[in-house]
């Protein structure tokens, strides 16, 4: 692949990433609008023609690994494993 083709490919990729960021921001704004309507109506669920949206608290339990490592460093070390990841960065 020539340098010119690489430049065009990178530019196309960066353009698409910018479009994705813009669409994500637009989706967040629309989501906020729906949440605002729920607050205004005092409802946690909205329904329409073929869709439903809900905004509710969900409780979950998660293991606090940071606290476990802090309070039990020797035991935590026995269960640690090394991993390797490949990272692609462009900008």
């Amino acid at each position: 692949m020539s340098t010119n083709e690489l430049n065009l490919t990178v530019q196309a990729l960066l353009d698409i990433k910018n479009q994705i960021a813009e669409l994500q921001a637009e989706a967040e704004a629309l989501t906020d609008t729906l949440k605002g309507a729920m607050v205004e109506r005092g409802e946690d669920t909205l329904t329409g023609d073929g869709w439903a949206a809900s905004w509710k608290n969900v409780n979950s339990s998660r293991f606090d690994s940071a606290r476990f490592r802090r309070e039990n460093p020797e035991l935590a070390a026995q269960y640690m494993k090394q991993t390797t990841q490949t990272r692609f960065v462009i900008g």
Side-chain angles (χ1 to χ4, degrees):
M1 190 176 255
S2 71
T3 301
N4 188 48
E5 290 172 318
L6 288 171
N7 287 336
L8 291 173
T9 300
V10 168
Q11 190 57 54
L13 177 58
L14 292 174
D15 289 346
I16 288 171
K17 287 182 176 260
N18 286 334
Q19 290 174 20
I20 290 170
E22 290 172 5
L23 289 171
Q24 285 176 330
E26 188 175 339
E28 286 181 30
L30 293 170
T31 298
D32 289 343
T33 299
L34 290 172
K35 288 177 180 178
M38 290 174 172
V39 169
E40 183 179 297
R41 293 178 178 206
E43 299 174 358
D44 59 7
T45 302
L46 297 176
T47 58
D49 296 333
W51 63 270
S54 65
W55 186 31
K56 300 176 183 181
N57 291 330
V58 176
N59 295 321
S60 64
S61 297
R62 297 195 177 155
F63 183 71
D64 187 347
S65 61
R67 179 178 168 197
F68 183 78
R69 283 192 305 271
R70 188 174 56 251
E71 294 178 2
N72 303 282
E74 299 85 16
L75 186 57
Q78 294 177 27
Y79 291 91
M80 294 294 170
K81 69 177 182 178
Q82 189 82 27
T83 62
T84 303
Q85 296 177 331
T86 303
R87 184 179 300 172
F88 179 76
V89 179
I90 190 163

